[in-house]
Amino acid sequence: MRVGLVRERVNRNDRAIVALVMLAHGMVHTYELSIPIFVSIWLSEYTTVELGLAAVPVTTASLGVMVGLGFALFGLGALPGGVLVDRVGSKRLIVACLAGMSASFVLLAAAPNLVVVALALVLWGAAASVYHPAGLRLISTGVEERGTGFAYHGIAGNIGIGFGPFLTALLLLFFDWQLVAGVLAIPALVAAVFATRADFEEQAAVTAADGGAGTSADKSSTGVSSLGEFLSESKALFASGFALVFAVVMFSGLYYRGVTTFLPDLIDSVLGIDPVPLSALLPAALVPGSATGAPTLELELYVYAGLLTIGVVGQYVGGKLTDRIPTERGLVVGFAALAVVAVAFLPVASLGVAPLLAICALLGFFLFMVQPFYQATVAEYTPAGLRGLSYGFTYLGVFGVGALGGAIAGYVLDVANSTTLFFVLAGFAAAASLLGVTLLRKRATPA
């Protein structure tokens, strides 16, 4: 009888944690991928960024830098977030993350100019940055069935990745972008309230998973306690094969951010289809605005949202394959496919709507298929005692260094064209694939 009660309590703890991390992970990516939808509006609505003594013209390059500031903090904050979570716990940081993201979109809604927009994005990046180390640590220490917890966590993230742009695009049919930003602030606030009320034990799975109180090598149980310890642990980490893995995730982040930041605009230029008046789809009584100012359906936004939704399938397939093939081989094949897709994207997309949708589906599939492979590779190339620190560095590479991808994409589009951009992206993917080949050879070489 007592065993049954304990098992029921454990399962309840698992469910409570998984529900929270699914909600929070979905929220983080909902906001992350809604931002590029706003970028296309800012490009047409603003002409200059007023900086007091100077005015900077609004171009893809200047907006790429501005948006890149927020995305950079999204990654740069992961490392201190990983250190902090071991000191204060996951739940507090997740609550702070959700509340901070809500506040950032309230500020975005009230922004009178692009300078305040940039500040709002910086606030969002800082708040969102702590989620991944907090959420992943919570699953690893609190959930007995960790594999299932990670699976649901990933699915929720990809649902947010697709749902965020779709919801934003849908709301923009009826409201201006600032009101939409204000509406989007509400879900994160509600989620923060839910998180404060969530009841679970953060360390419930540690004893069962580690067979006791753990080992002295397991730094995740105590956290990094000094700068000297942080430096020594980091040095040991990068002296191993993790250095190559870190390079892979940096190129992955550059590709990811480079292709997603301006993708709605790029799809629009390829589609060449005029926006569809909402009045052609809905009864006149349901269409806001006047006859001359009625909203229109921007088809490229929905293609973009659909592309990202395909990532759910890609991540599921990638996750399953990590148990069946060497993860290094998955990196080689996945990034090689992304290089091919980048080179083929514009030629194939220009053939018509059906080929465009097909190449977008392939891009969405492979863009997210590589993620489980590099996440699993990180675990294989790092000792258990440095696992938390290694994932902090991983997300620093993916979202921190990777944030430069948006600025690079904006600059290339400003001084060259979209063809050049996709060749640059292909270069990022090819570099990651070659690094995967190096890792695969190291694996095959006897120690």
Side-chain angles (χ1 to χ4, degrees):
M1 182 70 173
R2 176 170 295 181
V3 172
L5 290 174
V6 170
R7 182 171 297 277
E8 181 183 352
R9 191 181 307 119
V10 168
N11 289 339
R12 185 165 59 245
N13 198 72
D14 278 13
R15 288 194 296 270
I17 290 176
V18 170
L20 175 59
V21 296
M22 286 182 69
L23 177 63
H25 195 208
M27 286 285 175
V28 166
H29 290 297
T30 291
Y31 290 111
E32 176 202 3
L33 273 302
S34 69
I35 291 171
I37 299 290
F38 290 120
V39 168
S40 60
I41 296 175
W42 298 332
L43 277 170
S44 60
E45 186 167 316
Y46 293 97
T47 56
T48 60
V49 182
E50 299 294 336
L51 298 176
L53 298 177
V56 178
V58 171
T59 65
T60 54
S62 59
L63 273 186
V65 171
M66 186 187 81
V67 174
L69 291 173
F71 285 144
L73 272 184
F74 183 31
L76 294 174
L79 188 54
V83 174
L84 186 61
V85 69
D86 286 328
R87 314 304 299 180
V88 304
S90 294
K91 180 177 176 179
R92 290 181 182 178
L93 284 190
I94 291 174
V95 171
C97 165
L98 293 168
M101 289 195 301
S102 178
S104 71
F105 268 67
V106 169
L107 180 59
L108 189 63
N113 52 54
L114 284 180
V115 172
V116 180
V117 167
L119 291 175
L121 295 180
V122 165
L123 174 59
W124 173 83
S129 69
V130 301
Y131 172 70
H132 283 93
L136 292 174
R137 176 187 181 274
L138 182 57
I139 294 173
S140 67
T141 61
V143 176
E144 288 284 351
E145 298 184 19
R146 292 177 183 177
T148 301
F150 280 120
Y152 282 115
H153 179 262
I155 289 171
N158 275 98
I159 290 174
I161 283 169
F163 180 70
F166 177 79
L167 175 63
T168 305
L170 189 64
L171 290 173
L172 286 170
L173 288 175
F174 301 95
F175 311 108
D176 66 60
W177 72 267
Q178 287 178 296
L179 182 56
V180 170
V183 171
L184 289 176
I186 298 173
L189 181 60
V190 174
V193 174
F194 169 80
T196 62
R197 298 172 62 87
D199 183 22
F200 51 79
E201 173 52 55
E202 291 196 18
Q203 302 293 324
V206 172
T207 301
D210 296 336
T215 68
S216 60
D218 187 5
K219 295 295 182 184
S220 66
S221 64
T222 59
V224 175
S225 58
S226 69
L227 177 61
E229 186 179 1
F230 169 78
L231 293 175
S232 64
E233 299 287 13
S234 299
K235 182 179 179 180
L237 193 61
F238 280 91
S240 67
F242 176 75
L244 287 174
V245 181
F246 183 73
V248 170
V249 300
M250 283 195 304
F251 281 115
S252 178
L254 288 169
Y255 188 106
Y256 174 81
R257 194 64 69 198
V259 78
T260 57
T261 300
F262 294 100
L263 196 55
D265 248 22
L266 293 171
I267 293 173
D268 181 39
S269 66
V270 174
L271 272 175
I273 298 176
D274 292 332
V276 178
L278 197 58
S279 57
L281 304 174
L282 295 176
L286 299 179
V287 178
S290 62
T292 58
T296 56
L297 194 68
E298 309 287 342
L299 296 179
E300 71 276 4
L301 301 184
Y302 297 93
V303 174
Y304 172 73
L307 176 157
L308 297 173
T309 304
I310 292 292
V312 174
V313 180
Q315 191 153 66
Y316 177 81
V317 171
K320 287 294 185 181
L321 288 176
T322 58
D323 293 328
R324 291 169 170 79
I325 65 174
T327 59
E328 300 91 341
R329 185 172 298 164
L331 294 177
V332 173
V333 173
F335 283 109
L338 283 174
V340 172
V341 168
V343 172
F345 189 89
L346 290 176
V348 172
S350 64
L351 297 177
V353 174
L356 169 67
L357 296 177
I359 197 69
C360 282
L362 286 175
L363 176 60
F365 178 85
F366 286 110
L367 189 62
F368 293 97
M369 190 199 81
V370 297
Q371 291 186 3
F373 281 110
Y374 69 65
Q375 290 167 351
T377 305
V378 168
E380 291 187 12
Y381 281 80
T382 56
L386 298 179
R387 197 62 49 74
L389 185 62
S390 69
Y391 279 110
F393 275 115
T394 296
Y395 285 101
L396 171 66
V398 173
F399 294 128
V401 178
L404 293 173
I408 292 170
Y411 176 77
V412 171
L413 289 172
D414 197 36
V415 302
N417 52 42
S418 54
T419 299
T420 305
L421 171 60
F422 277 101
F423 273 103
V424 171
L425 295 173
F428 292 152
S433 184
L434 290 174
L435 287 167
V437 171
T438 304
L439 287 168
L440 192 58
R441 288 176 175 173
K442 285 174 66 69
R443 182 188 186 108
T445 303

